[in-house]
Amino acid sequence: MRALRISAVVLVILVAVFVAVDRVAVYVAESQVEDRVKVPGAQIGSTDVSIKGFPFLTQVAGSSLDEVDVSIEGIETHAAGRSLRISTMDAELRDVHLTDGFSGATATRATGTAVISYADLTEAASDGVAVEYGGKGKVKVTGTVDILGHPITRSVLSTVTLVDGHTVRVHADKVPGEGVPGLEKLVREKTDFEREVGGLPNGLKLEKIQPTADGLEISVTGTDVRLSG
């Protein structure tokens, strides 16, 4: 009986040591991955990586991770000569297959959310234009147009849509002077614009966009999403 108790204690200690080593390994791996995360064609700010599943060491031995959550702040993208900053992007990666250790990986499937703040959307808009939340799933666009030498500032409610799965379109529902030859075009040249969202990892695409009080919320999904490191 005494030998059985000793064996049980030793087993508990070994399990505790294994769990501790496993968790330390996860922490080290997460830190290494955070330093290596890159988004092709874009500059990024800070990253946070959380590797799920237990035990971690056996997953690494098989070069496959069950789940990896990635959060990136400040993705500076450039497309068609214009820049657009994604404020934050959170992605849940499933069935992640590692290549060359942690230097690269491919996720069988991925889901997530990207957010473009109104401050960042204003920076991407036409000069002198401000964009903010307009309520009820709309955005409010404010700009100044010159009419016969007189600057006139107006605000319009606009609908935001995705075009071809990679371009954000802001289009005013109605504008002052609608129907007046030349005037509507003049106003829309300020209030309406399109900006392409570039720099997303290969295999990841935009699915749905929704204006909220915190910014434009974009759903992203993907299969066979390739990540560089």
Side-chain angles (χ1 to χ4, degrees), residues 57-142:
L57 292 174
T58 57
Q59 294 183 71
V60 172
S63 298
S64 181
L65 304 177
D66 296 335
E67 177 184 346
V68 179
D69 293 347
V70 180
S71 179
I72 306 175
E73 295 189 5
I75 305 175
E76 301 281 353
T77 72
H78 300 272
R82 301 290 302 218
S83 62
L84 178 63
R85 184 178 186 271
I86 299 174
S87 308
T88 62
M89 185 171 70
D90 298 311
E92 297 178 352
L93 312 177
R94 297 293 188 274
D95 297 329
V96 181
H97 303 285
L98 306 175
T99 56
D100 299 326
F102 287 98
S103 63
T106 299
T108 301
R109 59 189 185 279
T111 58
T113 302
V115 175
I116 301 174
S117 72
Y118 292 116
D120 287 329
L121 190 59
T122 294
E123 287 292 322
S126 304
D127 294 339
V129 169
V131 186
E132 58 187 308
Y133 185 53
K136 297 182 179 180
K138 303 286 186 178
V139 298
K140 184 170 76 171
V141 182
T142 302

